Amino acid sequence: EMVQGAEDAPVTIIEYSSFTCPHCAAFHEGAYQDIKKNYIDTGKVKLIYREVYFDKYGLWASMVARCGGPEKFFGISDLIYKGLPDWSKLGSAPEIVNEFRKIGRLAGISEEELDVCLQDGEKAQTLVAWYQGNAEQDEITGTPSFVINGEKVANQTYAEFAQLFDAELAD
């Protein structure tokens, strides 16, 4: 699992997100930035990020994001989400993969490492099975979806998330 924040944070949020989801990209460019600054970076909230794979592009994006390891995952994820309006309009799978490769190279991953990551069929199967198990367990039907301290919640504004976090922190 890709995790941000203090291991012992009093609030845990699980985010289910797809790299091909415009609503997920909007969350990452908006509310997430404030949540990270005000709650994750301050040790109040731990974020567990779980990918959802609606298509091969989301899986490929995930494999590139994971290629850099946990230390680069969230930075690469930000670049993938920022580029979504551009790469999602490309006409072919090879063009989209090339955009993911560019993002990986920007993060300092070599072409050879990217080849290994993108061709790892066993990892792809493991990620899909992991996603399916998690989504079934938490009854995830769309993205982005969230589970805060065990309670499923819908996508919300930063102010609404802050209210939920503050209520959990007050308990």
Side-chain angles (χ1 to χ4, degrees):
E1 302 218 277
M2 295 298 169
V3 178
Q4 281 185 320
E7 186 59 40
D8 62 348
V11 177
T12 297
I13 180 172
I14 302 171
E15 175 189 354
Y16 284 91
S17 194
S18 170
F19 286 118
T20 59
C21 162
H23 300 291
C24 301
F27 170 78
H28 271 266
E29 301 219 3
Y32 164 76
Q33 299 300 321
D34 290 325
I35 290 169
K36 183 173 181 334
K37 180 175 73 179
N38 297 319
Y39 290 94
I40 296 170
D41 292 347
T42 60
K44 297 174 187 170
V45 170
K46 174 174 74 172
L47 169 75
I48 299 172
Y49 183 88
R50 293 181 177 167
E51 297 100 308
V52 173
Y53 307 118
F54 292 126
D55 52 39
K56 61 188 174 190
Y57 305 116
L59 178 60
W60 294 342
S62 175
M63 292 180 76
V64 169
R66 290 172 168 277
C67 195
E71 29 324 304
K72 292 185 179 182
F73 178 82
F74 288 99
I76 293 171
S77 296
D78 284 347
L79 293 173
I80 291 169
Y81 281 125
K82 280 184 178 120
L84 176 64
D86 299 321
W87 64 255
S88 64
K89 292 178 189 164
L90 297 174
S92 70
E95 289 175 303
I96 292 173
V97 169
N98 281 337
E99 287 302 306
F100 294 153
R101 286 177 171 279
K102 283 181 194 173
I103 291 169
R105 288 192 305 271
L106 273 174
I109 302 170
S110 72
E111 239 354 281
E112 295 76 24
E113 290 172 298
L114 289 165
D115 285 342
V116 169
C117 291
L118 285 166
Q119 294 172 12
D120 190 343
E122 186 177 320
K123 182 169 194 159
Q125 290 176 341
T126 300
L127 287 172
V128 169
W130 172 73
Y131 143 65
Q132 289 171 332
N134 285 330
E136 188 176 304
Q137 171 191 311
D138 287 331
E139 299 175 2
I140 301 303
T141 57
T143 57
S145 291
F146 304 90
V147 179
I148 298 175
N149 283 353
E151 293 294 319
K152 187 174 161 185
V153 299
N155 191 17
Q156 303 177 42
T157 66
Y158 168 72
E160 291 167 318
F161 274 115
Q163 209 171 16
L164 288 171
F165 296 147
D166 290 344
E168 288 290 324
L169 290 165
D171 284 347

